[in-house]
Short mmCIF file of all heavy atoms in Angstrom, two decimals:
data_model
loop_
_atom_site.label_atom_id
_atom_site.label_comp_id
_atom_site.label_asym_id
_atom_site.label_seq_id
_atom_site.Cartn_x
_atom_site.Cartn_y
_atom_site.Cartn_z
N SER A 9 -58.57 46.05 58.25
CA SER A 9 -59.22 45.97 56.93
C SER A 9 -60.25 47.04 56.72
O SER A 9 -60.74 47.24 55.60
CB SER A 9 -59.84 44.58 56.73
OG SER A 9 -60.80 44.33 57.75
N VAL A 10 -60.65 47.75 57.79
CA VAL A 10 -61.68 48.78 57.70
C VAL A 10 -61.05 50.15 57.64
O VAL A 10 -60.11 50.46 58.39
CB VAL A 10 -62.63 48.69 58.93
CG1 VAL A 10 -63.71 49.77 58.84
CG2 VAL A 10 -63.25 47.30 59.05
N VAL A 11 -61.57 50.98 56.75
CA VAL A 11 -61.13 52.38 56.67
C VAL A 11 -62.22 53.24 57.32
O VAL A 11 -63.41 53.14 56.95
CB VAL A 11 -60.95 52.81 55.20
CG1 VAL A 11 -60.75 54.31 55.11
CG2 VAL A 11 -59.75 52.09 54.58
N ALA A 12 -61.82 54.05 58.28
CA ALA A 12 -62.76 54.93 58.97
C ALA A 12 -62.34 56.38 58.81
O ALA A 12 -61.16 56.70 58.89
CB ALA A 12 -62.85 54.58 60.46
N VAL A 13 -63.31 57.23 58.59
CA VAL A 13 -63.10 58.68 58.50
C VAL A 13 -64.12 59.34 59.40
O VAL A 13 -65.31 59.01 59.35
CB VAL A 13 -63.24 59.20 57.05
CG1 VAL A 13 -63.12 60.73 57.01
CG2 VAL A 13 -62.19 58.56 56.16
N GLU A 14 -63.66 60.28 60.23
CA GLU A 14 -64.58 60.94 61.14
C GLU A 14 -64.40 62.47 61.05
O GLU A 14 -63.37 62.95 60.57
CB GLU A 14 -64.34 60.47 62.58
CG GLU A 14 -62.94 60.70 63.07
CD GLU A 14 -62.68 60.09 64.44
OE1 GLU A 14 -63.59 59.42 65.00
OE2 GLU A 14 -61.57 60.28 64.95
N ALA A 15 -65.39 63.17 61.53
CA ALA A 15 -65.37 64.63 61.55
C ALA A 15 -65.94 65.12 62.86
O ALA A 15 -67.10 64.84 63.17
CB ALA A 15 -66.18 65.19 60.38
N HIS A 16 -65.11 65.79 63.63
CA HIS A 16 -65.56 66.49 64.84
C HIS A 16 -65.83 67.94 64.49
O HIS A 16 -65.08 68.56 63.73
CB HIS A 16 -64.50 66.45 65.93
CG HIS A 16 -64.26 65.07 66.48
ND1 HIS A 16 -64.90 64.64 67.63
CD2 HIS A 16 -63.45 64.07 66.07
CE1 HIS A 16 -64.48 63.40 67.90
NE2 HIS A 16 -63.61 63.03 66.98
N ALA A 17 -66.87 68.50 65.06
CA ALA A 17 -67.20 69.90 64.77
C ALA A 17 -66.06 70.84 65.09
O ALA A 17 -65.82 71.83 64.40
CB ALA A 17 -68.44 70.32 65.54
N ASP A 18 -65.25 70.50 66.12
CA ASP A 18 -64.16 71.40 66.51
C ASP A 18 -62.88 71.14 65.74
O ASP A 18 -61.83 71.71 66.03
CB ASP A 18 -63.90 71.32 68.00
CG ASP A 18 -63.63 69.90 68.49
OD1 ASP A 18 -63.64 68.98 67.65
OD2 ASP A 18 -63.39 69.72 69.70
N ASP A 19 -62.92 70.24 64.73
CA ASP A 19 -61.74 69.95 63.93
C ASP A 19 -61.71 70.69 62.61
O ASP A 19 -60.78 70.49 61.80
CB ASP A 19 -61.67 68.44 63.62
CG ASP A 19 -61.21 67.63 64.80
OD1 ASP A 19 -60.64 68.23 65.73
OD2 ASP A 19 -61.40 66.42 64.78
N HIS A 20 -62.69 71.53 62.34
CA HIS A 20 -62.79 72.12 61.02
C HIS A 20 -61.95 73.39 60.84
O HIS A 20 -62.10 74.10 59.85
CB HIS A 20 -64.24 72.42 60.68
CG HIS A 20 -65.08 71.16 60.51
ND1 HIS A 20 -64.69 70.12 59.74
CD2 HIS A 20 -66.26 70.81 61.08
CE1 HIS A 20 -65.59 69.16 59.81
NE2 HIS A 20 -66.54 69.54 60.63
N ALA A 21 -61.10 73.65 61.80
CA ALA A 21 -60.21 74.79 61.62
C ALA A 21 -59.29 74.54 60.44
O ALA A 21 -58.93 73.39 60.11
CB ALA A 21 -59.37 75.00 62.88
N GLU A 22 -58.85 75.57 59.77
CA GLU A 22 -58.01 75.45 58.60
C GLU A 22 -56.73 74.69 58.93
O GLU A 22 -56.06 74.95 59.94
CB GLU A 22 -57.65 76.85 58.06
CG GLU A 22 -56.88 76.81 56.75
CD GLU A 22 -56.66 78.20 56.20
OE1 GLU A 22 -57.20 79.16 56.76
OE2 GLU A 22 -55.89 78.32 55.22
N GLY A 23 -56.36 73.75 58.10
CA GLY A 23 -55.11 73.00 58.27
C GLY A 23 -55.23 71.73 59.08
O GLY A 23 -54.25 71.01 59.25
N THR A 24 -56.42 71.40 59.58
CA THR A 24 -56.55 70.18 60.38
C THR A 24 -56.65 68.93 59.52
O THR A 24 -56.43 67.82 60.00
CB THR A 24 -57.80 70.24 61.26
OG1 THR A 24 -58.97 70.31 60.42
CG2 THR A 24 -57.75 71.43 62.20
N GLY A 25 -57.00 69.10 58.25
CA GLY A 25 -57.18 67.94 57.39
C GLY A 25 -58.49 67.24 57.53
O GLY A 25 -58.73 66.21 56.92
N ALA A 26 -59.38 67.78 58.36
CA ALA A 26 -60.69 67.16 58.55
C ALA A 26 -61.55 67.36 57.34
O ALA A 26 -61.36 68.30 56.56
CB ALA A 26 -61.37 67.75 59.78
N PRO A 27 -62.53 66.48 57.10
CA PRO A 27 -63.41 66.64 55.95
C PRO A 27 -64.14 67.97 56.01
O PRO A 27 -64.50 68.45 57.08
CB PRO A 27 -64.41 65.49 56.09
CG PRO A 27 -63.73 64.50 57.00
CD PRO A 27 -62.88 65.30 57.91
N THR A 28 -64.33 68.57 54.84
CA THR A 28 -65.12 69.81 54.81
C THR A 28 -66.50 69.58 55.38
O THR A 28 -67.11 68.53 55.14
CB THR A 28 -65.24 70.33 53.36
OG1 THR A 28 -66.11 71.45 53.35
CG2 THR A 28 -65.81 69.29 52.42
N PRO A 29 -66.99 70.49 56.18
CA PRO A 29 -68.30 70.25 56.82
C PRO A 29 -69.48 70.22 55.85
O PRO A 29 -70.51 69.66 56.17
CB PRO A 29 -68.42 71.42 57.80
CG PRO A 29 -67.51 72.47 57.30
CD PRO A 29 -66.38 71.77 56.62
N TYR A 30 -69.30 70.81 54.68
CA TYR A 30 -70.40 70.84 53.73
C TYR A 30 -69.93 70.37 52.35
O TYR A 30 -69.88 71.17 51.40
CB TYR A 30 -71.01 72.23 53.63
CG TYR A 30 -71.74 72.64 54.90
CD1 TYR A 30 -71.15 73.48 55.81
CD2 TYR A 30 -73.02 72.16 55.14
CE1 TYR A 30 -71.81 73.85 56.97
CE2 TYR A 30 -73.68 72.51 56.31
CZ TYR A 30 -73.08 73.36 57.20
OH TYR A 30 -73.74 73.71 58.36
N PRO A 31 -69.57 69.10 52.20
CA PRO A 31 -69.20 68.62 50.87
C PRO A 31 -70.39 68.68 49.93
O PRO A 31 -71.55 68.71 50.37
CB PRO A 31 -68.79 67.16 51.12
CG PRO A 31 -69.48 66.80 52.40
CD PRO A 31 -69.56 68.03 53.20
N GLU A 32 -70.13 68.68 48.64
CA GLU A 32 -71.21 68.79 47.66
C GLU A 32 -71.98 67.48 47.60
O GLU A 32 -71.39 66.40 47.61
CB GLU A 32 -70.60 69.12 46.29
CG GLU A 32 -71.58 69.68 45.31
CD GLU A 32 -70.88 70.28 44.10
OE1 GLU A 32 -69.91 71.01 44.28
OE2 GLU A 32 -71.35 69.99 42.99
N LEU A 33 -73.28 67.58 47.52
CA LEU A 33 -74.12 66.39 47.42
C LEU A 33 -74.41 66.06 45.97
O LEU A 33 -74.45 66.94 45.09
CB LEU A 33 -75.45 66.63 48.15
CG LEU A 33 -75.41 66.78 49.65
CD1 LEU A 33 -76.80 67.08 50.21
CD2 LEU A 33 -74.84 65.54 50.34
N TYR A 34 -74.60 64.78 45.72
CA TYR A 34 -75.08 64.34 44.41
C TYR A 34 -76.57 64.59 44.30
O TYR A 34 -77.28 64.66 45.32
CB TYR A 34 -74.78 62.84 44.24
CG TYR A 34 -73.32 62.52 44.05
CD1 TYR A 34 -72.49 62.35 45.14
CD2 TYR A 34 -72.76 62.40 42.78
CE1 TYR A 34 -71.15 62.04 44.99
CE2 TYR A 34 -71.41 62.11 42.62
CZ TYR A 34 -70.61 61.94 43.72
OH TYR A 34 -69.29 61.64 43.57
N PRO A 35 -77.08 64.74 43.08
CA PRO A 35 -78.52 65.05 42.93
C PRO A 35 -79.43 64.05 43.65
O PRO A 35 -80.43 64.43 44.25
CB PRO A 35 -78.72 65.00 41.42
CG PRO A 35 -77.40 65.37 40.84
CD PRO A 35 -76.39 64.76 41.80
N GLU A 36 -79.10 62.75 43.59
CA GLU A 36 -79.97 61.76 44.22
C GLU A 36 -79.92 61.86 45.75
O GLU A 36 -80.87 61.52 46.44
CB GLU A 36 -79.60 60.35 43.76
CG GLU A 36 -78.15 59.96 43.93
CD GLU A 36 -77.30 60.22 42.69
OE1 GLU A 36 -77.36 61.36 42.18
OE2 GLU A 36 -76.59 59.31 42.26
N GLU A 37 -78.80 62.36 46.29
CA GLU A 37 -78.72 62.62 47.73
C GLU A 37 -79.50 63.88 48.08
O GLU A 37 -80.24 63.92 49.08
CB GLU A 37 -77.28 62.78 48.16
CG GLU A 37 -76.44 61.51 48.04
CD GLU A 37 -74.97 61.75 48.28
OE1 GLU A 37 -74.48 62.88 47.96
OE2 GLU A 37 -74.28 60.84 48.77
N GLU A 38 -79.34 64.88 47.28
CA GLU A 38 -80.06 66.14 47.51
C GLU A 38 -81.56 65.91 47.53
O GLU A 38 -82.27 66.50 48.34
CB GLU A 38 -79.70 67.14 46.41
CG GLU A 38 -80.31 68.52 46.57
CD GLU A 38 -79.78 69.27 47.77
OE1 GLU A 38 -78.55 69.26 47.97
OE2 GLU A 38 -80.60 69.85 48.50
N ALA A 39 -82.04 65.01 46.70
CA ALA A 39 -83.48 64.71 46.66
C ALA A 39 -83.98 64.12 47.97
O ALA A 39 -85.15 64.31 48.33
CB ALA A 39 -83.77 63.75 45.50
N LEU A 40 -83.11 63.43 48.70
CA LEU A 40 -83.52 62.81 49.94
C LEU A 40 -83.74 63.81 51.07
O LEU A 40 -84.47 63.52 52.03
CB LEU A 40 -82.47 61.77 50.39
CG LEU A 40 -82.25 60.57 49.49
CD1 LEU A 40 -81.11 59.72 50.00
CD2 LEU A 40 -83.54 59.72 49.41
N ILE A 41 -83.10 64.98 50.96
CA ILE A 41 -83.18 65.96 52.05
C ILE A 41 -83.69 67.31 51.55
O ILE A 41 -83.44 68.34 52.17
CB ILE A 41 -81.83 66.13 52.75
CG1 ILE A 41 -80.72 66.53 51.76
CG2 ILE A 41 -81.46 64.89 53.53
CD1 ILE A 41 -79.48 67.02 52.44
N ALA A 42 -84.42 67.28 50.47
CA ALA A 42 -84.90 68.52 49.87
C ALA A 42 -85.70 69.37 50.87
O ALA A 42 -85.68 70.59 50.82
CB ALA A 42 -85.73 68.23 48.62
N ARG A 43 -86.41 68.73 51.77
CA ARG A 43 -87.26 69.47 52.71
C ARG A 43 -86.74 69.37 54.14
O ARG A 43 -87.45 69.69 55.09
CB ARG A 43 -88.68 68.90 52.66
CG ARG A 43 -89.33 69.08 51.29
CD ARG A 43 -90.77 68.58 51.32
NE ARG A 43 -91.42 68.72 50.01
CZ ARG A 43 -92.66 68.38 49.76
NH1 ARG A 43 -93.42 67.84 50.72
NH2 ARG A 43 -93.18 68.57 48.55
N ALA A 44 -85.49 68.94 54.29
CA ALA A 44 -84.93 68.75 55.62
C ALA A 44 -84.58 70.08 56.30
O ALA A 44 -84.24 71.05 55.64
CB ALA A 44 -83.66 67.88 55.55
#
Side-chain angles (χ1 to χ4, degrees):
S9 58
V10 180
V11 170
V13 175
E14 59 186 2
H16 291 265
D18 55 0
D19 283 343
H20 293 310
E22 185 176 353
T24 62
T28 174
Y30 291 101
E32 198 167 315
L33 293 177
Y34 288 85
E36 54 267 51
E37 294 171 329
E38 183 67 45
L40 295 175
I41 56 166
R43 298 183 180 180

